[in-house]
């Protein structure tokens, strides 16, 4: 449905997180904002979500949250990954 109705590529669909498609109110968002790392190109993209697709997404997530065991990533908003700055980003040992 995301491919056909919203025009997303398979790699874009695979990179989606719950928070990308579901708002804080538990309903599907009207637009999906794809970050640069989620798209084929080098720019952020937006996908408009039709009312039909919004209903399908909301129903799908509700059904799967009800079936998911406690603590499963599908039951809560995942934490955003952050890259931490390192003094030694390449991991090279300084004691050669």
């Amino acid at each position: 449905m995301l491919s056909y109705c919203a025009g997303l590529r398979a790699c874009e669909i695979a990179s989606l997180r719950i928070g990308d498609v579901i708002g804080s109110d538990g309903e599907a968002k009207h637009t999906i904002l794809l970050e640069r790392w989620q798209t084929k190109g080098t720019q952020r993209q937006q996908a408009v979500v039709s009312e039909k697709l919004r209903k399908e997404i909301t129903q799908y997530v509700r059904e799967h949250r009800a079936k998911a065991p406690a603590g499963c990533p599908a039951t809560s908003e995942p934490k955003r990954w952050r890259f931490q700055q390192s003094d030694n980003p390449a991991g090279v040992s300084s004691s050669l």
Side-chain angles (χ1 to χ4, degrees), residues 36-95:
R36 292 183 333 182
W37 63 270
Q38 292 173 299
T39 65
K40 182 179 177 182
T42 59
Q43 296 181 356
R44 293 169 52 175
Q45 300 289 327
Q46 284 187 7
V48 177
V49 182
S50 68
E51 191 61 34
K52 178 182 177 182
L53 183 55
R54 288 184 70 236
K55 288 178 184 177
E56 290 289 330
I57 291 171
T58 301
Q59 179 182 353
Y60 177 84
V61 170
R62 284 186 182 154
E63 288 175 7
H64 284 78
R65 280 186 174 168
K67 295 176 187 178
C72 178
T75 61
S76 62
E77 170 66 25
K79 294 180 181 175
R80 304 281 184 195
W81 288 37
R82 292 184 181 168
F83 293 101
Q84 297 179 353
Q85 192 171 16
S86 172
D87 292 336
N88 188 2
V92 178
S93 175
S94 60
S95 60

Side-chain angles (χ1 to χ4, degrees), residues 12-26:
E12 294 168 342
I13 295 168
S15 70
L16 289 174
R17 300 164 293 191
I18 294 289
D20 294 334
V21 293
I22 301 294
S24 59
D25 60 355

